[in-house]
Amino acid sequence: MGRFIECCCTSVDEVLEAIAGGASRIELCERLEVGGVTPSVELIEKVMSVSTLPVNVLVRPRGGDFFFNEEERLQMIEDINLCKNLGVNGVVIGALDGDGNIDVDLMQSLMLEAKPLSVTFHRAFDCCADPYRSIEDVIALGCDRLLTSGLAASAYEGRELISELVDMAGDRIIIMPGAGVRPSNIAALSQRTRALEYHGSAHSEHGITDRKVVSQLVDDSLQLL
């Protein structure tokens, strides 16, 4: 069996490429140039009509930091409810307070709204002040997985911390490395972290998700480079 790859996609065409390449799940968003924001209703509907894979939708009202005002908080709750009504598999959420800690109060509200969907805490974690405290907060909230680069620019650079987080998490939460996960480094990343799921956009040289790159990420026979 190949690796479990969640493929980050921003269009129907990319979703179809991810499926053809053997991805296990889709994370749907828009505007990757700002780190991703909530996709439009129209895009979610189109993807749900063609995807044979589970679809998790990013719920993030804007780029920038992860400290949200009241209007943005209400927008996130509204978007989660919309995702539930559209039948998605899960939502990808995250929030910090002004001190760089997990915003537990807001997250509890979002988690309550999200039930019974699968919940991933996104890379807001990589901006936290204390990853060891923050992972315990994320686990206590009841999130199903944590997407992280190990507080580094890429998951490969953050592999040592990711390995620590995998050990700390045990079977309490899935630690999913993401950011800069490529065919050239995923085997070494997998060997060091022992993570069970990986997240990547699987872009070709043209800057879009490509089935061949997805297939290479999935392929467990890749040699260490």
Side-chain angles (χ1 to χ4, degrees):
M1 293 181 63
R3 299 185 190 90
F4 188 108
I5 299 296
E6 175 183 89
C7 194
C8 179
C9 300
T10 61
S11 70
V12 172
D13 287 344
E14 286 194 317
V15 169
L16 295 176
E17 285 293 299
I19 294 170
S24 299
R25 186 175 58 233
I26 302 297
E27 188 211 71
L28 186 65
C29 66
E30 290 184 319
R31 298 189 64 200
L32 281 180
E33 70 275 9
V34 297
V37 298
T38 307
S40 68
V41 175
E42 292 76 18
L43 179 57
I44 299 173
E45 289 176 334
K46 289 177 182 177
V47 167
M48 291 301 296
S49 72
V50 301
S51 181
T52 55
L53 298 177
V55 177
N56 289 357
V57 175
L58 176 64
V59 175
R60 185 185 180 205
R62 56 163 173 78
D65 63 36
F66 301 99
F67 181 50
F68 299 107
N69 63 34
E70 186 60 26
E71 181 180 354
E72 292 164 341
R73 292 169 181 236
L74 293 174
Q75 183 64 54
M76 293 166 76
I77 289 174
E78 181 179 325
D79 289 342
I80 289 172
N81 189 56
L82 174 65
C83 287
K84 287 172 65 174
N85 290 337
L86 292 176
V88 306
N89 176 73
V91 290
V92 183
I93 57 179
L96 302 178
D97 64 22
D99 296 319
N101 300 312
I102 304 300
D103 188 335
V104 173
D105 289 342
L106 173 55
M107 283 299 302
Q108 285 176 335
S109 298
L110 300 181
M111 294 291 294
L112 184 63
E113 190 67 33
K115 287 183 178 180
L117 300 182
S118 174
V119 175
T120 299
F121 194 99
H122 60 49
R123 289 189 60 215
F125 182 85
D126 293 320
C127 297
C128 72
D130 181 350
Y132 304 108
R133 171 184 171 179
S134 292
I135 187 176
E136 294 299 336
D137 286 341
V138 172
I139 290 170
L141 285 165
C143 297
D144 296 288
R145 69 184 50 77
L146 170 64
L147 171 62
T148 179
S149 64
L151 277 65
S154 72
Y156 186 75
E157 293 174 69
R159 63 193 181 280
E160 297 302 327
L161 177 57
I162 294 173
S163 179
E164 289 186 62
L165 296 175
V166 169
D167 287 339
M168 289 181 64
D171 60 2
R172 297 182 296 163
I173 192 172
I174 296 167
I175 305 298
M176 182 169 61
V181 176
R182 299 294 296 168
S184 60
N185 62 30
I186 192 170
L189 182 61
S190 177
Q191 183 182 62
R192 182 67 189 95
T193 66
R194 307 169 315 285
L196 300 178
E197 299 184 6
Y198 297 85
H199 171 97
S201 55
H203 285 172
S204 69
E205 65 274 15
H206 302 297
I208 57 175
T209 299
D210 180 88
R211 67 185 66 191
K212 292 181 180 178
V213 181
V214 176
S215 180
Q216 289 175 326
L217 290 173
V218 171
D219 186 2
D220 253 340
S221 67
L222 282 175
Q223 299 297 310
L224 293 174
L225 299 182

